[in-house]
Amino acid sequence: MLLANEEGAEHAVHAAGWFLEHAWLIPVIPAAAFFLIILFGKRLPKGGSEIGLASMIAALVIAAGTAYQWIDLVGSTEHAEAVITKWVWWQAGDTKFTIGQHIDGLAVMALLLVAFISTLVQIYSTEYVRGDRRYTHFFASLTLFSSGMLTMVLAPNMVQLILGWEIMGLCSFLLIGHWWEELPNAKAALKAFFTVRTGDMGLLVGTAMLFGLFGTFDILDINEMAAAGEWHGSKTLLMAAAVALFIGCIGKSGQFPLHTWLPDAMAGPTPVSSLLHSSTMVVAGVFLVARIYPVFHVGLDINVAGSHYNLIAIIGGITVIVAAALAFVQDDIKKVLAYSTVSQLGYMMMGLGVGAWTAAVFHIFTHAFFKCCLFLAAGSISHTASHHSFDMKKDMGGLWRKLPVTFAAWFVSTLALCGVPFVSGFFSKDEIIDSAHAYDYTTFYVVGIVGAFMTTAYMTRATYLTFFGKARGGAAHFVAGEHEDEGAHDEGHAEAFADEHADVDHQIHAHAHAAHDAHDAHGHDDAHAPAHHGRPLPFAKTDSAWAITLPLLILGFLAIVSGYLNAAPFHIEKFHEWLHSSIGIELPEAPKFEWGNAAPGLALVLAGFLVSLYISKAVYGEGASPLKGLTKRVKVFGAIHTFLVNKLYLDHLYEKVIVRFVAYPLSKAAYWTNQHILDGAVNGVGIAGKKSGQFIYKYVDQGLVDGIVNGSGTAARAAGGELQPVQSGKVSLYGSLLFGAAAVAAIVLVLVNS
Amino acid sequence: MLLASDVVVAQNVGFGIIAAVMVIFALRVVSSSNVVHAALSLVMVMAGAAALYVLLAAEFVAVTQVLVYIGAVMVLFLFGVMLTRAKLGKEGDLNNKNWGVGIPVAILLLGVMVYALGDGWGRTKIDATGGSVVSTTAISDLIFSPYILPFWGLSFVLLAAVIGAIVLARKD
Amino acid sequence: MLVNQFLMLGAVLFCIGVYGVLARKNAVMVLMSIELILNSVNINLLAFDRLNGSIDGNVFALFIIAVAAAEVGVGLAMVLLIYRNRKSIALDELSEMKG
């Protein structure tokens, strides 16, 4: 059908330029590559990674061309309109469901970003997962993921957006659970999937409500009508739709209180964390809010005089603080970064909540580079220096001299993340905080600068633990192995690792280790020592292979310079110009930058650095200090520490309380029903219950069920087990159920229609 | 002189008789405790159906019904009964243990259908006197031009059924 | 004549057939009950044909008769096979599908 309609779309080409008209190719290429990898990947010399990489590069080239032509278009016309191409996908009655592209500044920015980050991550992955047992599948999933994200980004309507959104959800499940043989990974994958799905209910309900309110799925029309106030229904309905949609964004973007899946999702390979859980997938929620911003802006009364709070800003603000606090007690370097991501996503949401649209979108842009860089640096450390461990306290420390490139990339990215002046994060984050102040959202201004303080504090701690102080555990072996040649060094690696392995397993973070143990083990099986690592860059011989360090260098560079696209202190507003036309509403002018306004935030950043450095040195350093063991001696600090380590007990709430008191009674009720009401109708339900029960049971058996799911699994299993006699295997009973159900359905139809 | 109203009355009377016979024998089919009696009752139902088809001016279908159902299918059934050595006399347990479930289900279905039909068609009349008997020529024209593809499909189904039946029933 | 006379008769036959399918244990009896159901459908088709003055229903009825013949042939062959393997054609003893 698509092909048939293509000609129709062809003659719509006007002066916009080839790339702008054909931006829809960007997701199509990786999607095609996905199938090629699945079909032929295993037979290719590089296991299919070359197809994935080639497709991403092709997508990147088209995205770059699109961006170039878009900038050209914006420069040449006063008000650049979105380039929209649509084909009818399917039709129900008079409602046409289209598929196509909606290219405007926001879409172009996201396309370029996603294609670029995906390309770098794929390069990185060729080294990082080399020799993996499911190498081909890894690249297939990664490519399909990129395709899903790109599909979502250029969606001209909500239906296509949901399509891309769900492809991403599926791929994140596959990728987080990539090493599914280890139980925690499988659990983390399911947890991520189901938590996000919980939020997705909101997205579906919200989309349906939008259709009811506006009579269309087209994003452009929705935006225009929402901005103009032309919807069928009351304001309350629009608010309800906005809230429902936002619940979807909460799930996807890991906002409080559905953020618990994101740190667990670090069980996936590091490139996955870097791509999905820092710079693309979790940004989808923020992107959705930015995409149909007028709905939220009008529905939630953003920027209305006298309103100092709204749902988006509140959720964002809570997330900023809570996640930053949680980041402070993590020992796993990736979890620090995960909470940091959650916190930064909170900033973006908060920015959107206070009406700083451009600043929030700009923060998406800059954050992608430096957070991706941080994750890849963490991966580089664990890959090369710490025996595939991510535990900062056990296996890192004193690495900066041995990993110069990684350290440099990490360092500039940390600066960017903390919002140190003249690095990218400063320009975007400071503008969000500044806007909150200027638009009269004082609470969120305070939240913003406190968040900046906390960000600096936890990043200082992480940096200190990782790169400075005494080398510990795996890092100690690595630093000591200086004089050995490559091959021997690697052998030492494997042996030392085997020794270590046993006692590490008992630790709190045992699951992360277990996950990476296995990875490590097969890595060494397949290609012993020298072949295992690629060639490092010539000027950093002890650092990771070039495929790892090169992306780090590129991203580190961008972490510094990307901020200058919209640098308020230097009156550069390029980014704002290019993106300006993407929303159909007038937002308040961006506040004028003054160093005086930024000063409190910067002072707090400095304070955060100093305080954290002092504490880190005292607690983790070698000298004796009164601060050591403070959490054990002072009960209050101990309690706070425990509270944070247990992630605010939210997981306990979800798993213990909700599952036990909601799902468990359900299963009991099902049991009772079965015991007492043995008639055909109930039995019909029982068969359905049993079917799902069996399905889930299979996965319980294989250990693939997350705590939350456990509840529903138990419920279904209990119901299924108890209703098993219904599956008598007797045709006559099945027939009774069939005809009985048909009769009941017919009665319902008659009643509905009469 | 034969009046149109007389024809209608005659048809209604005929319908009543045929319908009564069909329902009674249909009930016997599902309630008889003797397999052979059930099969013979089924013959009566088929014959009644053929008569109804004549009443509905579908002669070709009526003839086919007699040839195929009463002629071939019933013989098949009787063979089936014999080959499976079902007792030719009375058999106590032709119904399965859950046979009681069938009654409420059937009554429920009947209730829904009767209500829906009464609601939907009300007192819509068939013009019993007008229109001509459906000619066999017209049916063959229809089968061999617009319905040729389903006809081919049907031929394959029959072929497959023949082969399948042989394969299944062979002794080796 | 009312079209409902035929349709109601069809409905009654259909339900009797359904009851037979559900209640009977003997496989041959179940097949007979299925024939009842098919016949009730045929009556409906022809009644609608008469009502609308079309012929398509006749064609459908013929098709149904042919398919029913095929079904009985295969069905009885299966019954024979089952009988040969188990010395019984009681359907409620066939519970391999039991879960």
Side-chain angles (χ1 to χ4, degrees):
Chain A
M1 187 153 54
L2 280 180
L3 287 175
N5 284 322
E6 209 161 320
E7 282 172 58
E10 211 67 56
H11 59 74
V13 175
H14 44 88
W18 189 89
F19 284 111
L20 282 178
E21 293 295 334
H22 293 83
W24 53 268
L25 281 172
I26 300 173
V28 168
I29 294 172
F34 163 75
F35 289 105
L36 287 178
I37 296 173
I38 285 286
L39 289 175
F40 307 112
K42 286 209 165 143
R43 274 172 248 160
L44 292 172
K46 297 213 164 155
S49 61
E50 62 269 64
I51 302 178
L53 196 53
S55 75
M56 286 327 300
I57 289 173
L60 178 60
V61 168
I62 300 178
T66 311
Y68 175 79
Q69 289 186 343
W70 175 257
I71 290 168
D72 209 38
L73 188 72
V74 174
S76 62
T77 48
E78 190 60 18
H79 188 81
E81 287 200 350
V83 183
I84 296 177
T85 312
K86 283 187 291 195
W87 296 286
V88 176
W89 181 14
W90 41 283
Q91 195 170 357
D94 289 335
T95 310
K96 283 181 179 149
F97 293 85
T98 54
I99 195 162
Q101 61 168 33
H102 175 114
I103 298 298
D104 58 7
L106 183 63
V108 167
M109 184 280 292
L111 284 175
L112 189 62
L113 192 69
V114 174
F116 182 74
I117 300 274
S118 299
T119 310
L120 286 186
V121 168
Q122 291 226 347
I123 294 174
Y124 182 95
S125 303
T126 54
E127 173 66 25
Y128 192 85
V129 295
R130 171 178 297 187
D132 191 84
R133 58 200 125 158
R134 277 184 295 278
Y135 186 81
T136 306
H137 287 130
F138 180 80
F139 275 91
S141 306
L142 211 57
T143 312
L144 183 64
F145 168 82
S146 301
S147 174
M149 180 82 189
L150 294 164
T151 306
M152 192 208 94
V153 160
L154 50 65
N157 57 52
M158 293 301 291
V159 178
Q160 188 183 337
L161 191 136
I162 290 174
L163 176 75
W165 181 286
E166 298 299 352
I167 292 176
M168 272 193 286
L170 171 70
C171 291
S172 72
F173 170 74
L174 293 175
L175 288 167
I176 295 168
H178 182 66
W179 293 316
W180 49 261
E181 283 88 345
E182 290 81 22
L183 185 64
N185 297 356
K187 278 191 171 177
L190 270 180
K191 183 172 179 180
F193 191 67
F194 282 100
T195 312
V196 174
R197 291 294 312 173
T198 308
D200 285 356
M201 292 311 294
L203 177 66
L204 292 177
V205 170
T207 306
M209 289 184 76
L210 282 186
F211 185 71
L213 287 170
F214 299 103
T216 175
F217 288 111
D218 285 2
I219 286 169
L220 189 74
D221 297 345
I222 289 176
N223 278 351
E224 277 174 2
M225 286 156 120
E230 299 164 353
W231 62 83
H232 323 293
S234 61
K235 176 78 186 296
T236 320
L237 271 179
L238 187 70
M239 194 189 79
V243 170
L245 287 166
F246 188 62
I247 289 171
C249 301
I250 287 178
K252 199 74 161 182
S253 283
Q255 298 293 294
F256 182 86
L258 291 180
H259 64 274
T260 54
W261 68 271
L262 216 151
D264 283 25
M266 295 304 129
T270 309
V272 172
S273 314
S274 171
L275 178 63
L276 275 66
H277 305 121
S278 68
S279 47
T280 58
M281 176 171 130
V282 293
V283 170
V286 185
F287 179 85
L288 175 62
V289 177
R291 176 93 273 186
I292 48 172
Y293 195 58
V295 172
F296 295 97
H297 196 264
V298 177
L300 296 175
D301 286 331
I302 296 169
N303 292 135
V304 169
S307 80
H308 301 289
Y309 299 95
N310 60 59
L311 181 70
I312 299 182
I314 290 171
I315 294 288
I318 292 175
T319 311
V320 167
I321 299 294
V322 166
L326 289 170
F328 210 79
V329 295
Q330 302 300 319
D331 292 338
D332 184 318
I333 188 169
K334 274 172 77 179
K335 292 209 169 171
V336 173
L337 296 176
Y339 279 115
S340 160
T341 303
V342 173
S343 171
Q344 295 301 310
L345 290 166
Y347 266 109
M348 297 170 200
M349 281 296 185
M350 203 171 83
L352 290 168
V354 301
W357 189 86
T358 312
V361 174
F362 191 48
H363 199 54
I364 295 179
F365 185 71
T366 54
H367 174 260
F369 296 121
F370 60 72
K371 184 53 63 65
C372 185
C373 183
L374 285 172
F375 266 107
L376 294 185
S380 163
I381 294 163
S382 95
H383 190 68
T384 305
S386 66
H387 300 323
H388 300 270
S389 158
F390 288 100
D391 194 319
M392 296 189 294
K393 281 189 181 162
K394 290 214 162 317
D395 290 309
M396 293 184 188
L399 288 169
W400 71 275
R401 208 185 290 277
K402 298 286 298 222
L403 301 173
V405 177
T406 307
F407 174 64
W410 173 280
F411 187 70
V412 293
S413 300
T414 303
L415 293 184
L417 175 59
C418 298
V420 171
F422 310 117
V423 185
S424 65
F426 168 72
F427 299 114
S428 54
K429 193 149 93 179
D430 191 67
E431 203 176 328
I432 293 178
I433 298 172
D434 230 18
S435 303
H437 185 54
Y439 301 159
D440 214 15
Y441 287 93
T442 321
T443 318
F444 299 109
Y445 168 70
V446 176
V447 167
I449 56 174
V450 172
F453 168 79
M454 296 169 84
T455 309
T456 318
Y458 68 71
M459 281 316 288
T460 307
R461 170 177 173 273
T463 310
Y464 180 83
L465 277 173
T466 311
F467 288 103
F468 297 98
K470 194 166 160 290
R472 299 169 294 273
H477 290 288
F478 174 67
V479 172
E482 198 162 19
H483 305 295
E484 297 169 75
D485 62 334
E486 247 327 273
H489 158 78
D490 252 86
E491 304 256 39
H493 231 192
E495 280 159 25
F497 183 72
D499 299 342
E500 197 122 324
H501 186 133
D503 47 61
V504 167
D505 263 13
H506 303 296
Q507 303 306 321
I508 300 169
H509 289 282
H511 72 264
H513 291 266
H516 297 288
D517 283 355
H519 164 58
D520 185 75
H522 68 78
H524 282 276
D525 285 344
D526 293 348
H528 215 268
H532 182 46
H533 290 296
R535 190 182 291 278
L537 288 172
F539 52 87
K541 294 233 183 285
T542 52
D543 211 324
S544 307
W546 70 268
I548 288 182
T549 43
L550 189 68
L552 281 177
L553 282 176
I554 297 172
L555 286 168
F557 174 70
L558 284 168
I560 302 175
V561 302
S562 64
Y564 288 91
L565 283 176
N566 209 39
F570 306 105
H571 307 292
I572 304 172
E573 287 193 330
K574 285 284 172 223
F575 196 78
H576 179 69
E577 270 172 41
W578 296 333
L579 257 63
H580 180 64
S581 60
S582 303
I583 28 170
I585 43 168
E586 283 304 312
L587 291 174
E589 277 289 299
K592 266 205 131 22
F593 182 83
E594 278 170 38
W595 284 103
N597 288 341
L602 291 177
L604 276 174
V605 167
L606 184 64
F609 170 69
L610 292 175
V611 170
S612 179
L613 185 66
Y614 173 69
I615 295 177
S616 301
K617 269 192 114 87
V619 177
Y620 308 120
E622 288 172 44
S625 157
L627 287 179
K628 273 193 177 164
L630 190 66
T631 50
K632 293 197 184 71
R633 277 180 284 121
V634 184
K635 277 210 174 120
V636 181
F637 289 124
I640 295 175
H641 187 260
T642 320
F643 186 61
L644 290 176
V645 166
N646 284 306
K647 305 175 215 162
L648 312 183
Y649 290 99
L650 274 180
D651 277 346
H652 290 262
L653 174 72
Y654 295 154
E655 290 173 21
K656 302 267 159 58
V657 180
I658 296 180
V659 169
R660 184 153 304 164
F661 291 101
V662 180
Y664 203 66
L666 278 182
S667 81
K668 282 222 152 153
Y671 181 80
W672 186 88
T673 310
N674 176 59
Q675 289 290 304
H676 295 84
I677 311 170
L678 271 170
D679 69 341
V682 175
N683 286 351
V685 179
I687 286 181
K690 177 178 166 57
K691 280 277 185 292
S692 54
Q694 274 179 334
F695 179 76
I696 294 167
Y697 181 76
K698 216 166 90 192
Y699 288 87
V700 175
D701 247 356
Q702 299 174 4
L704 274 174
V705 165
D706 173 45
I708 293 176
V709 189
N710 251 334
S712 56
T714 316
R717 185 154 51 124
E722 294 307 325
L723 292 172
Q724 198 187 24
V726 179
Q727 277 294 66
S728 58
K730 300 223 170 81
V731 183
S732 62
L733 216 54
Y734 293 164
S736 314
L737 291 174
L738 175 70
F739 283 108
V744 170
I747 290 174
V748 170
L749 277 179
V750 166
L751 289 180
V752 167
N753 283 334
S754 58
Chain B
M1 198 176 88
L2 195 64
L3 291 171
S5 56
D6 295 335
V7 175
V8 172
V9 170
Q11 279 180 337
N12 275 334
V13 172
F15 175 83
I17 294 168
I18 297 169
V21 167
M22 283 178 77
V23 171
I24 288 166
F25 280 99
L27 285 172
R28 269 179 61 86
V29 170
V30 296
S31 63
S32 163
S33 51
N34 184 319
V35 186
V36 179
H37 286 182
L40 293 177
S41 303
L42 187 61
V43 172
M44 287 306 290
V45 180
M46 303 292 183
L52 272 192
Y53 299 163
V54 174
L55 204 56
L56 286 167
E59 287 176 352
F60 185 69
V61 181
V63 172
T64 317
Q65 170 92 359
V66 173
L67 283 178
V68 176
Y69 264 122
I70 303 177
V73 172
M74 286 321 301
V75 172
L76 258 182
F77 269 122
L78 289 174
F79 266 108
V81 171
M82 285 198 296
L83 285 173
T84 53
R85 278 181 230 159
K87 284 190 208 114
L88 288 177
K90 219 171 174 186
E91 258 186 283
D93 54 345
L94 275 176
N95 287 351
N96 61 40
K97 276 178 245 127
N98 308 84
W99 66 274
V101 185
I103 295 175
V105 170
I107 289 177
L108 193 64
L109 264 178
L110 184 65
V112 177
M113 284 197 286
V114 167
Y115 172 78
L117 290 173
D119 198 43
W121 294 101
R123 305 196 65 79
T124 314
K125 283 199 169 78
I126 293 178
D127 183 9
T129 50
S132 58
V133 168
V134 176
S135 74
T136 311
T137 326
I139 293 179
S140 71
D141 279 352
L142 215 52
I143 288 182
F144 292 109
S145 48
Y147 287 105
I148 187 70
L149 209 62
F151 181 75
W152 283 344
L154 188 65
S155 316
F156 276 107
V157 168
L158 281 171
L159 181 66
V162 168
I163 296 173
I166 292 171
V167 169
L168 283 174
R170 269 167 70 106
K171 271 229 161 104
D172 51 351
Chain C
M1 281 191 296
L2 302 178
V3 70
N4 251 345
Q5 287 173 338
F6 295 93
L7 300 185
M8 294 275 186
L9 178 63
V12 171
L13 286 181
F14 182 86
C15 292
I16 292 172
V18 166
Y19 166 76
V21 169
L22 299 185
R24 291 308 212 174
K25 184 166 83 171
N26 189 313
V28 178
M29 304 293 282
V30 171
L31 283 175
M32 288 186 198
S33 306
I34 291 175
E35 295 308 314
L36 279 181
I37 294 179
L38 291 172
N39 263 285
S40 75
V41 173
N42 271 356
I43 293 173
N44 273 18
L45 281 171
L46 291 171
F48 283 128
D49 242 17
R50 186 69 176 152
L51 180 69
N52 298 329
S54 60
I55 318 177
D56 301 64
N58 281 269
V59 178
F60 286 170
L62 288 171
F63 281 178
I64 287 177
I65 291 173
V67 171
E71 171 248 323
V72 170
V74 175
L76 282 176
M78 285 165 68
V79 170
L80 276 185
L81 192 66
I82 292 168
Y83 177 77
R84 209 179 294 142
N85 289 337
R86 309 177 65 107
K87 296 290 164 219
S88 159
I89 51 170
L91 283 180
D92 52 1
E93 286 168 25
L94 300 173
S95 53
E96 269 87 12
M97 285 197 286
K98 184 170 167 53

